[in-house]
Amino acid sequence: MASEPAEGTTLEVLRRLESGPRGLTDTEAASRLAASGENTLPDRRTPSWPRRCARALRDPFTAVLLCLGLVSAAVASWGTAVVILALVAVSCVLRAGGEHRADRSLAALRELVAGTATVLRRADPAGQPEPREVPVAELVPGDVLRLGPGDLVPADVRLLRARGLMVQQGALTGESAPVAKRAADDGVPGEFGLCFQGSTIASGSATAVVTATGAATRFAAAHRVPDAPRQGGAFDRSVHGISWVLIRFMLLTPPLVLMANATLRDRGLETLPFAVAVAVGLTPEMLPVIVTTCLARGAALLARAHAVIVKRLPALHDLGAVDVLCVDKTGTLTQDRPVVERALDPAGREDPEVLRWAAVGAWWTLQLAELPSPDALDEALLEAAGPVGEEYDGVEAVPFDPVRRTSTAVVRGGLGQHTVVLTGAAEAVLERCAAAPGERERLLALAAREADAGLRVLAVATAERPAGPRTADARGLVFRGLVTFRDALAPTAAEALRALADRGVTVKVLTGDHPATAARACHDLGLDPGEVRTAAQVTDGPGGATVVARCTPQDKARLVTALRTAGHTVGFLGDGVNDVAALRAADVGIAPRSAVGVARESADVVLADKDLTSIGHAITAGRHASGNIASYLRVTLSSNLGNVVAMLGAGLLLPFLPMLPAQVLAQNLCFDAAQLAFAHDRPGAAALRGPAVLRPRAFLRFALGFGMLNALADLATFAVLALVLNGPDAVDDEAVFHSAWFTENLLTQAAVMLLLRTGRRDAAIRPPGPVGLAAAGLTAVGLLLPPSPLGAALGMTALPAAYYLLPAVVLGLYALALAAARTRHRRRQP
């Protein structure tokens, strides 16, 4: 493990690294560089564009398109073949482009590492160490570094000496505030004795020894996805399953038709064009067009109305299928700043005077200490207290120190008197206060109670002292009370959480913060945190826990992967380097526009702001698009399957082909053109209330049930033709039979379009505009094409008047049976 060289006492670490406080010699550094390699992120061999495109052909969905194109070419449908093969090429290019962007995101990580570092090196073993600026790539384990304010930590290091060191490591751990660091010689330094590559020195200075470089650092590990195999997003998994079902049917249908006709009707290879046409009729040719159009329209509307950019179109469907959304606390549920909750006197009662004194100390600390940037707690105090502090004259200020854990301000009081204002951690402040026996324990318990409630606690004490050079170090102060802080809530978070819950989305908070702090934010937003657990307590998935605290980047990716393994469709919202692994592990990664470049590159969806409301809009748009795709699949699979079964039955019962290959393809063309209306449909509210998942088995069961009903309608039509029509227009008249079935098929398909739409319980009563117009057009084509000159060219003829009455009764009964079956099916749905 990368952390092993940092374990043990300082002396043991230096011995293990074969180094010392004086650093390495130039010769030692050169030999180690040759042995361990440069301190850069590991390079990954990237395949060429042709290889990427060829690899995309292994995708089952692309394989279906390719099969369709070849089948179309085999039956000399060159226009269809060209369009479908063009779609195959576009699909391959888009997939290769996505892989190229992923490779670019890895290269972007290098931009987050410092260019040079100050290192102690010696010309020879007896020489004196000299500080030098060397490229970060030349750092090796055992190098001794000097770090100062504003420096980026260039490698994983163990602190040898530190003075007032505060490190901003949120990019790796998710912690919103700088963390105090100090050297330790107890053999177990823990996190506070280590600094990691990618962190920033907020204040203070340090000398440290490099323990890990390159691929062994935590920074390099932060973007690795766990070893668990990823099978693609929800959309990929769904379409793969449906595609393989179609492939099996396509491969099975032609030989079945050929063998049946050869055995029962002594017709062999002459039925091959009909068998191929039946295979084409079974397959939803417009699936890529419908999918692309639905997702592209949804993505365009999101970008225009809500400034949400969908970088990968299938990710929009994945958003619609999301049932678990994992977020960080800071910047999502809360803003990245504290606000004052209340000020308490030593008895635990509200006391504004405590807040006033704390704000006086903050004001003069900011004025006199010349800090590089204002402290977040000081800003919160001044915002809550208003204009205070200027009524005094400042004398001296000692800024917050992570070792003392206090800050001190001295202001001029009465004649020859100074007032000392001490703020900081309760334990450190009480050490300098005069307190009766047992009082200190009571006050510490009061502070601990507030901290356990998820609040940050600042203790305040004051004293009047004669003016002197050591006033700031005065002791025997009077304990004034406590000021508590909470994280400022994101303005729209509470409403957005309620909206997500209404849509069936469970929110999981994966944060690097303290468990109580995260739980407090959830309570304030009306989100039940349940049993708050730390990442170390969660060995597999988060289960029923809403909040998992103290998460490292690897923990976040591990938990996301566990949720996906459990069958959930997972979205992850992140914006830092520490979120890259989880963004890649999720079904759909989401990042705000303000995220670091590598997080933006790794995300599938980019938000204008880090706002849950935008995610709610994106989920709704995804379910809208998925509902339309599901409508198309239900309608086309059930209708096509019914037609194929009826064709196979009719082919075995009739002395002639039930429909000519050209008529099959013309019917498919009309039906496919009408189904383009689904891309412009609006699913009912029922389709938007829960995750939209395309389940292959469910679609197969649906297609089998409703397809058999469709086949019965076709066979009933055959019976009507056989029983009612006599003479030259009897069922043995091929042209009449072909024309009658062509018309009946289009009419039944129009009824199916209206009745089997996603989420519309009143579809038959109030058909929507686009689908209603398309169904009406399909009906018109079915009635008018057979008697037209184009119908004659296709081998059809005008139908006798009697057909339009009796088969209409069959169609009416079919529509009633279809509506009843649809109602029964929906009642059985969970």
Side-chain angles (χ1 to χ4, degrees):
M1 294 176 57
S3 61
E4 289 178 356
E7 296 176 355
T9 65
T10 301
L11 183 59
E12 290 171 345
V13 170
L14 291 174
R15 284 177 177 172
R16 192 179 302 123
L17 294 170
E18 298 181 0
S19 181
R22 301 171 67 209
L24 302 175
T25 65
D26 293 335
T27 303
E28 290 172 335
S31 63
R32 294 188 184 194
L33 183 63
S36 63
E38 292 189 342
N39 179 34
T40 57
L41 293 175
D43 282 323
R44 191 172 60 180
R45 293 185 62 184
T46 56
S48 62
W49 274 92
R51 179 172 294 182
R52 281 178 172 149
C53 292
R55 196 161 57 190
L57 290 174
R58 295 181 300 180
D59 179 77
F61 182 51
T62 308
V64 169
L65 292 180
L66 185 59
C67 289
L68 289 174
L70 296 177
V71 168
S72 299
V75 297
S77 181
W78 301 113
T80 303
V82 169
V83 171
I84 293 178
L85 293 176
L87 287 172
V88 170
V90 170
S91 174
C92 292
V93 170
L94 290 177
R95 188 182 183 95
E99 292 180 359
H100 177 67
R101 285 195 302 271
D103 292 336
R104 269 196 349 215
S105 70
L106 181 63
L109 282 171
R110 294 182 174 85
E111 300 176 3
L112 300 178
V113 182
T116 61
T118 303
V119 61
L120 295 181
R121 291 272 177 87
R122 294 171 290 156
D124 54 69
Q128 292 297 317
E130 298 177 357
R132 304 180 191 174
E133 289 288 325
V134 301
V136 165
E138 296 180 8
L139 291 179
V140 295
D143 266 330
V144 176
L145 305 177
R146 288 182 177 175
L147 301 170
D151 286 348
L152 285 172
V153 180
D156 287 358
V157 300
R158 165 75 181 261
L159 296 176
L160 302 178
R161 292 184 297 277
R163 181 178 180 183
L165 188 64
M166 299 289 290
V167 178
Q168 178 58 264
Q169 57 184 25
L172 285 167
T173 65
E175 296 167 296
S176 56
V179 178
K181 299 282 186 177
R182 63 186 179 90
D185 288 318
D186 56 8
V188 187
E191 294 289 307
F192 64 79
L194 306 173
C195 294
F196 305 105
Q197 185 182 46
S199 304
T200 306
I201 306 300
S203 60
S205 59
T207 302
V209 60
V210 175
T211 59
T213 60
T217 64
R218 285 200 186 183
F219 186 80
H223 70 283
R224 295 188 192 125
V225 181
D227 295 334
R230 177 175 179 177
Q231 301 298 326
F235 180 80
D236 295 326
R237 295 193 298 270
S238 302
V239 172
H240 289 182
I242 294 172
S243 299
W244 282 117
V245 170
L246 297 179
I247 289 173
R248 294 186 185 101
F249 272 105
M250 285 176 61
L251 296 176
L252 180 62
T253 300
L256 187 62
V257 172
L258 290 174
M259 288 188 296
N261 278 275
T263 303
L264 300 179
R265 291 293 178 182
D266 198 25
R267 293 193 297 258
L269 292 178
E270 64 266 23
T271 61
L272 178 60
F274 173 71
V276 172
V278 170
V280 173
L282 178 65
T283 309
E285 297 94 337
M286 300 303 291
L287 179 59
V289 178
I290 295 290
V291 167
T292 303
T293 305
C294 288
L295 296 179
R297 288 189 75 250
L301 289 172
L302 268 179
R304 187 165 57 249
H306 304 291
V308 176
I309 306 302
V310 180
K311 295 168 54 181
R312 181 177 63 87
L313 281 183
L316 185 60
H317 167 80
D318 293 346
L319 273 171
V322 162
D323 61 341
V324 175
L325 177 65
C326 297
V327 301
D328 195 0
K329 176 184 71 67
T330 305
T332 306
L333 305 181
T334 65
Q335 302 178 51
D336 195 10
R337 63 183 182 88
V339 295
V340 172
E341 176 72 5
R342 54 182 181 161
L344 305 174
D345 66 11
R349 297 185 298 265
E350 296 274 356
D351 186 355
E353 191 68 8
V354 178
L355 176 61
R356 188 182 74 83
W357 278 116
V360 169
W363 170 263
W364 285 109
T365 300
L366 290 173
Q367 299 300 315
L368 300 177
E370 299 182 358
L371 297 174
S373 60
D375 182 83
L377 294 184
D378 289 343
E379 290 185 327
L381 287 169
L382 295 173
E383 181 180 346
V388 297
E390 297 184 31
E391 65 272 24
Y392 298 97
D393 291 331
V395 176
E396 183 183 0
V398 179
F400 181 82
D401 182 271
V403 177
R404 295 193 310 269
R405 297 194 298 162
T406 60
S407 64
T408 308
V410 181
V411 297
R412 204 177 307 279
L415 184 62
Q417 294 288 315
H418 289 169
T419 301
V420 180
V421 182
L422 180 72
T423 57
E427 299 90 339
V429 170
L430 283 168
E431 285 179 0
R432 295 176 58 180
C433 291
E439 181 68 7
R440 178 174 286 120
E441 288 72 17
R442 187 186 67 81
L443 293 173
L444 287 175
L446 174 64
R449 193 161 55 247
E450 296 297 315
D452 290 342
L455 299 172
R456 298 168 70 176
V457 179
L458 184 75
V460 184
T462 64
E464 295 290 336
R465 292 289 185 271
R470 296 181 58 82
T471 305
D473 294 328
R475 293 185 175 271
L477 282 71
V478 177
F479 187 79
R480 289 282 185 173
L482 304 172
V483 180
T484 60
F485 303 81
R486 60 173 173 81
D487 289 330
L489 302 178
T492 60
E495 181 181 354
L497 287 172
R498 287 193 295 270
L500 288 171
D502 292 339
R503 293 182 175 94
V505 178
T506 301
V507 175
K508 302 282 187 183
V509 181
L510 310 181
T511 179
D513 278 345
H514 189 279
T517 304
R520 177 61 184 243
C522 292
H523 276 301
D524 292 343
L525 291 168
L527 178 65
D528 182 9
E531 179 189 357
V532 180
R533 294 190 284 176
T534 63
Q537 297 171 331
V538 180
T539 56
D540 43 16
T546 300
V547 177
V548 182
R550 300 299 191 196
C551 286
T552 65
Q554 293 79 8
D555 289 329
K556 292 181 179 181
R558 172 174 60 85
L559 294 172
V560 167
T561 302
L563 285 167
R564 295 183 72 233
T565 303
H568 296 286
T569 302
V570 184
F572 183 87
L573 173 63
D575 60 358
V577 174
N578 60 311
D579 297 320
V580 171
L583 285 168
R584 293 181 178 173
D587 286 285
V588 53
I590 310 167
R593 189 165 50 193
S594 58
V596 298
V598 64
R600 252 190 345 264
E601 287 289 338
S602 300
D604 303 304
V605 177
V606 178
L607 311 176
D609 300 298
K610 197 174 182 181
D611 184 3
L612 289 178
T613 303
S614 297
I615 298 179
H617 293 311
I619 288 175
T620 299
R623 292 181 181 177
H624 191 147
S626 299
N628 288 341
I629 295 171
S631 289
Y632 167 77
L633 285 172
R634 287 193 180 95
V635 169
T636 194
L637 290 180
S638 58
S639 181
N640 288 358
L641 182 60
N643 287 341
V644 167
V645 171
M647 282 185 183
L648 292 176
L652 299 178
L653 296 173
L654 296 174
F656 51 82
L657 291 177
M659 192 174 286
L660 299 179
Q663 294 166 354
V664 174
L665 295 176
Q667 174 186 276
N668 290 339
L669 179 62
C670 294
F671 191 31
D672 290 340
Q675 289 181 105
L676 286 174
F678 284 119
H680 304 272
D681 193 19
R682 287 193 64 83
L688 306 179
R689 282 197 290 266
V693 181
L694 305 178
R695 296 183 175 89
R697 291 188 177 182
F699 275 100
L700 182 58
R701 288 195 300 269
F702 187 96
L704 285 172
F706 285 88
M708 292 303 100
L709 189 60
N710 192 359
L712 287 175
D714 289 341
L715 295 174
T717 302
F718 301 161
V720 169
L721 289 173
L723 295 174
V724 176
L725 300 182
N726 299 301
D729 297 326
V731 76
D732 59 352
D733 188 319
E734 293 185 33
V736 171
F737 183 88
H738 293 161
S739 303
W741 197 13
F742 183 90
T743 299
E744 187 268 344
N745 269 337
L746 293 189
L747 294 181
T748 55
Q749 287 171 344
V752 167
M753 287 180 63
L754 293 176
L755 292 171
L756 297 187
R757 292 173 54 232
T758 299
R760 288 285 180 179
R761 303 188 182 277
D762 58 345
I765 301 172
R766 295 189 306 165
V771 174
L773 291 175
L778 197 61
T779 302
V781 171
L783 295 173
L784 300 178
L785 183 60
S788 69
L790 180 58
L794 293 173
M796 293 186 285
T797 185
L799 295 173
Y803 173 80
Y804 296 102
L805 289 177
L806 296 175
V809 175
V810 175
L811 291 175
L813 294 174
Y814 169 68
L816 291 176
L818 190 64
R822 180 199 63 181
T823 302
R824 183 172 180 271
H825 172 78
R826 287 177 175 169
R827 285 175 179 171
R828 296 175 60 184
Q829 298 305 302

